[in-house]
Amino acid sequence: MMNVRITIATWMTIAAAFAAQAQNADIRIAKGTGKTGIDLSTLQAGADGPSREFFSVLQTSLLRSGWIERGTPQASDYAVVGSITSDGTSVRAALQLVQRSSRQVLLNQTYPGQGAGIRAAAHRAADDIVYAITGRKGFASSKLLMVGNRTGSKELYMADSDGRGLYPLTADKTVSMAPRWSKDGQQIYYTSFLRKFPAVYRIDLASRKRTRVSNFAGLNTGGAVSPDGRDMAVILSKDGNPDLYLMRLADGSLTRITSTPRAVEASPGWSPDGRQLVYVSDQTGTPNLFVVSRSGGQPRQITTRGRQNVSPDWGPHGDIVFSSLIGGKFQICVVNPQTMEIRQITSDHADHEDPSWAPNGRHIACAITKQYKSKVYLIDTMGDAPILLTDYEGDWYSPKWSP
């Protein structure tokens, strides 16, 4: 419970919510869905555009969390009360989350926003509400990187977690691919053919300055920065076949991790604690996932089924999501790297590629290709229906969630 001063007017609003609930003493939390119902009916929002936008983004973000559903005053143990007001350009949302059964105020916070900041404020409010109710981290405030060809070239874009607020990061009229975030979310690493051959670049989001960080002869790709920010996992072919290396970002020094002269490595990613790496190798004849210590040593194969297993992403809860070629289509699977137990998440007749974990460790974003068109979707690993995130012109690929 937050230690925030509550005004008399706020208490009157909360009391009204309690009184409404008292008319029906049988308090129920939504059953059969695993979700908690929230009553938003007493949240007062202005009729102006900015107020409506805040309310819409708040409600959508709560529902997409996977833990929340819209409830009725009679059947919801939780209610969001307060007001959303606007002067026409900016918004001030004074929100309180009350639990009716305990008569407690779990959240009392004001969320100001102006212009594009209105959506950001609503996302923060949704994440705070989800955490107050469930103790679980939300993902509404996070960002998405993705590659899109709406201009005719594969350029790099950034968007809000719901796919809105699309913003171009490159305009190079060439191929950009494999975007990655730094651990603090302040820098972006990606592979570009800006100078006719693949090199890894870094973009500082504050200054928009771009720096080339891996520019060896041959292939340079991967660009996955370690959780401690010191090293970057990169695939280099400077010594022959593409192998996995670690580059010390401070001085550019290299440590070779794999040496497979008759195989190709790709798509490195870090474990949450930074002690291990997952990557793809075809050393067994077909692409499979391998795990290796950051200090090197003998890699361990963790996938065996499926004709191809590619594009791994190591999630915050320890599981690795990847794409597996099953029945002629790429499907999303999750593997426990310790037990090697695999769970298939998707099964429809479409290709599901480039999966990336959301910060909550429950949802993923991936590119789904149907009828030769690729779009980015939100996938719930616990069963909610997929949600289209990129209803824009062109094809969209390689989504990557911010930390």
Side-chain angles (χ1 to χ4, degrees):
M1 178 176 176
M2 297 186 65
N3 185 20
V4 180
R5 184 176 65 87
I6 302 177
T7 65
I8 293 176
T10 298
W11 274 117
M12 291 177 64
T13 305
I14 294 171
F18 284 139
Q21 181 60 35
Q23 297 177 7
N24 189 328
D26 182 19
I27 298 172
R28 299 182 300 275
I29 296 176
K31 297 180 180 180
T33 64
K35 300 184 181 184
T36 299
I38 292 185
D39 176 21
L40 300 176
S41 64
T42 56
L43 177 57
Q44 300 174 1
D48 56 279
S51 296
R52 291 199 307 269
E53 181 180 30
F54 185 100
F55 182 88
S56 175
V57 173
L58 173 66
Q59 178 174 247
T60 299
S61 298
L62 288 172
L63 299 181
R64 289 188 180 184
S65 74
W67 306 111
I68 304 297
E69 66 182 5
R70 184 76 184 262
T72 65
Q74 293 76 26
S76 300
D77 192 24
Y78 295 91
V80 178
V81 300
S83 62
I84 305 170
T85 58
S86 171
D87 61 5
T89 59
S90 62
V91 161
R92 182 180 183 275
L95 307 181
Q96 300 82 39
L97 172 68
V98 298
Q99 185 178 26
R100 288 162 167 164
S101 59
S102 66
R103 301 180 69 85
Q104 287 187 317
V105 179
L106 304 180
L107 177 72
N108 181 44
Q109 187 64 268
T110 298
Y111 299 90
Q114 184 173 9
I118 294 174
R119 293 179 52 82
H123 286 314
R124 290 196 303 273
D127 283 343
D128 288 348
I129 292 170
V130 170
Y131 186 81
I133 293 175
T134 69
R136 297 179 174 96
K137 185 178 181 180
F139 68 93
S141 298
S142 60
K143 297 287 187 177
L144 270 174
L145 296 175
M146 63 188 83
V147 175
N149 67 355
R150 66 189 303 185
T151 63
S153 301
K154 290 186 176 181
E155 305 287 0
L156 189 62
Y157 294 81
M158 183 168 62
D160 294 342
S161 62
D162 54 8
R164 303 297 91 191
L166 191 69
Y167 182 85
L169 294 173
T170 64
D172 297 330
K173 298 181 179 180
T174 185
V175 176
S176 298
M177 56 188 292
R180 306 291 186 96
W181 293 88
S182 63
K183 183 63 175 179
D184 61 7
Q186 300 302 307
Q187 296 175 324
I188 293 166
Y189 293 76
Y190 71 106
T191 300
S192 175
F193 286 74
L194 183 62
R195 298 196 176 184
K196 309 304 180 185
F197 60 89
V200 177
Y201 291 81
R202 176 178 59 222
I203 297 176
D204 181 84
L205 290 179
S207 65
R208 291 297 191 264
K209 179 182 178 181
R210 179 165 58 186
T211 306
R212 191 169 48 184
V213 294
S214 180
N215 187 38
F216 295 95
L219 178 69
N220 298 255
T221 188
V225 177
S226 60
D228 62 14
R230 296 179 181 178
D231 297 306
M232 180 178 71
V234 61
I235 304 297
L236 303 175
S237 64
K238 68 184 188 65
D239 297 320
N241 279 14
D243 274 303
L244 173 61
Y245 293 76
L246 293 188
M247 174 187 286
R248 183 55 57 97
L249 289 173
D251 58 14
S253 60
L254 292 176
T255 300
R256 188 169 184 168
I257 302 298
T258 65
S259 181
T260 50
R262 289 178 295 278
V264 173
E265 264 80 80
S267 306
W270 292 89
S271 63
D273 62 8
R275 296 179 180 178
Q276 299 180 88
L277 291 149
V278 62
Y279 64 97
V280 177
S281 177
D282 65 357
Q283 60 187 272
T284 59
T286 58
N288 274 295
L289 305 190
F290 289 78
V291 168
V292 66
S293 169
R294 71 176 295 161
S295 59
Q298 182 63 36
R300 179 170 58 93
Q301 184 176 344
I302 62 170
T303 59
T304 55
R305 74 171 192 173
R307 292 176 55 195
Q308 296 183 42
N309 297 294
V310 296
S311 303
D313 186 46
W314 210 321
H317 296 161
D319 287 337
I320 298 171
V321 66
F322 64 100
S323 290
S324 183
L325 187 57
I326 300 172
K329 295 292 181 180
F330 279 101
Q331 303 295 343
I332 301 301
C333 295
V334 172
V335 60
N336 180 315
Q338 302 303 319
T339 66
M340 298 197 301
E341 179 183 357
I342 292 178
R343 180 165 55 103
Q344 185 174 333
I345 302 301
T346 62
S347 58
D348 55 314
H349 194 67
D351 281 314
H352 301 68
E353 299 175 276
D354 302 323
S356 173
W357 283 109
N360 66 351
R362 169 174 172 167
H363 292 83
I364 63 170
C366 73
I368 298 181
T369 302
K370 299 178 180 179
Q371 298 178 342
Y372 307 104
K373 293 292 184 180
S374 294
K375 303 291 183 182
V376 173
Y377 282 77
L378 178 71
I379 304 291
D380 180 16
T381 61
M382 296 180 66
D384 280 358
I387 297 173
L388 175 64
L389 298 180
T390 56
D391 56 345
Y392 304 112
E393 182 181 355
D395 293 313
W396 297 88
Y397 326 84
S398 303
K400 194 67 177 179
W401 290 101
S402 64

